[in-house]
Amino acid sequence: MQKSKHNKGSAMLIAIIVSVVVVAFCLSLLLVCYSLYASAVRKVTSRQCKELAKSLSIELEQELTKLNFASYEEEKLALERVSNGENSLWFYLRYNLFQENWPGYKAEYSEEQNKLSYREFTLDLSGGDSSRYEAQTSDITLCVYWKNEDVLLMKEETLLCVEVHVTKDDQSAIMRNYFTLSVSNYPSTTLSGEIDTSQALEIVNPSGYSIDEDEHWKWNFQERD
């Protein structure tokens, strides 16, 4: 009778050990599956960030390069539409580039010194594919800076860099776009009637800088990386 009880206890112990091994094996499988799933999600998120950064870069390229005004009157008429969300980056550059509080980027400077040359913006999505973009990202920012060895000599030597930063969860992507500036002179024109640009200037020129109204600016796309 004692031998029978001893065997019964051993069988129960073996059953417990087997159960523990099976549970541990199942937990290991769950851990492996979760790890594979998390890795797949990170890859998809990373790809989405890269694709979105490229898509937004192309849209910004079109915004900066499509504007080619024939006169300062046309430029003022377009400026009036900034308050509706049109071409705000182009006009921000027009009024703030080369001003005293926005120094150019210098490769020989330290990162701390060059921080003064960065202008960062949060990108608000609206219209078009904005809903699809918002589902692919949690944060979109632009970092803009310019380089010119001697801007006093020639503004056409200016190289503009527009970085698109896209972040979602723990993944991010950066797309850099490079543009060069062409500067010529507008023909002499007389503005036909009063054009109210006060609201637009509050957006793109809050410091109240003045510009050379004879200058005709045209941005030319160079490369993207």
Side-chain angles (χ1 to χ4, degrees):
M1 188 70 178
Q2 291 179 353
K3 185 176 180 180
S4 175
K5 288 182 178 180
H6 176 73
N7 291 338
K8 187 175 181 180
S10 299
M12 183 174 292
L13 181 61
I14 292 171
I16 292 173
I17 293 173
V18 171
S19 299
V20 170
V21 171
V22 171
V23 170
F25 180 70
C26 291
L27 289 175
S28 298
L29 285 178
L30 286 174
L31 183 61
V32 170
C33 290
Y34 176 77
S35 178
L36 292 173
Y37 171 76
S39 178
V41 168
R42 283 195 296 271
K43 287 181 180 179
V44 171
T45 303
S46 177
R47 185 168 64 250
Q48 286 179 338
C49 288
K50 291 177 181 177
E51 291 176 352
L52 179 54
K54 184 175 181 179
S55 297
L56 293 174
S57 294
I58 292 173
E59 291 189 16
L60 287 169
E61 173 198 337
Q62 293 173 348
E63 175 180 334
L64 286 180
T65 59
K66 72 180 180 181
L67 298 182
N68 188 19
F69 303 115
S71 65
Y72 183 65
E73 181 180 22
E74 284 189 13
E75 183 179 316
K76 290 277 284 187
L77 288 170
L79 172 61
E80 191 179 20
R81 296 193 293 272
V82 165
S83 53
N84 296 327
E86 296 183 30
N87 309 315
S88 56
L89 179 58
W90 193 96
F91 280 102
Y92 181 87
L93 295 172
R94 179 73 164 102
Y95 280 89
N96 293 272
L97 206 63
F98 311 129
Q99 303 292 358
E100 57 185 2
N101 74 333
W102 190 357
Y105 177 95
K106 301 288 185 182
E108 62 270 22
Y109 286 176
S110 67
E111 183 64 21
E112 192 67 28
Q113 289 175 306
N114 273 324
K115 281 184 178 179
L116 296 174
S117 67
Y118 300 147
R119 293 294 178 270
E120 296 184 350
F121 308 92
T122 299
L123 192 63
D124 293 326
L125 299 175
S126 61
D129 294 329
S130 60
S131 59
R132 179 170 65 87
Y133 291 160
E134 288 174 346
Q136 296 177 0
T137 183
S138 55
D139 185 48
I140 302 174
T141 57
L142 300 182
C143 179
V144 183
Y145 57 93
W146 60 277
K147 305 177 185 179
N148 191 315
E149 294 303 319
D150 193 351
V151 68
L152 296 177
L153 184 64
M154 185 176 296
K155 291 181 178 180
E156 288 196 352
E157 298 295 329
T158 301
L159 178 68
L160 181 75
C161 179
V162 180
E163 296 182 354
V164 180
H165 297 243
V166 176
T167 303
K168 183 178 182 182
D169 300 331
D170 61 344
Q171 299 298 304
S172 62
I174 300 176
M175 189 68 66
R176 295 178 179 87
N177 308 270
Y178 297 94
F179 304 85
T180 55
L181 179 64
S182 297
V183 180
S184 57
N185 291 324
Y186 279 130
S188 297
T189 58
T190 302
L191 297 181
S192 57
E194 188 66 25
I195 301 175
D196 184 9
T197 59
S198 56
Q199 288 185 332
L201 289 174
E202 288 179 4
I203 298 171
V204 298
N205 186 25
S207 299
Y209 292 123
S210 59
I211 60 172
D212 187 342
E213 297 178 358
D214 292 331
E215 287 185 347
H216 168 230
W217 283 24
K218 180 73 173 68
W219 289 105
N220 307 292
F221 176 73
Q222 295 300 303
E223 61 177 328
R224 179 180 294 112
D225 63 28

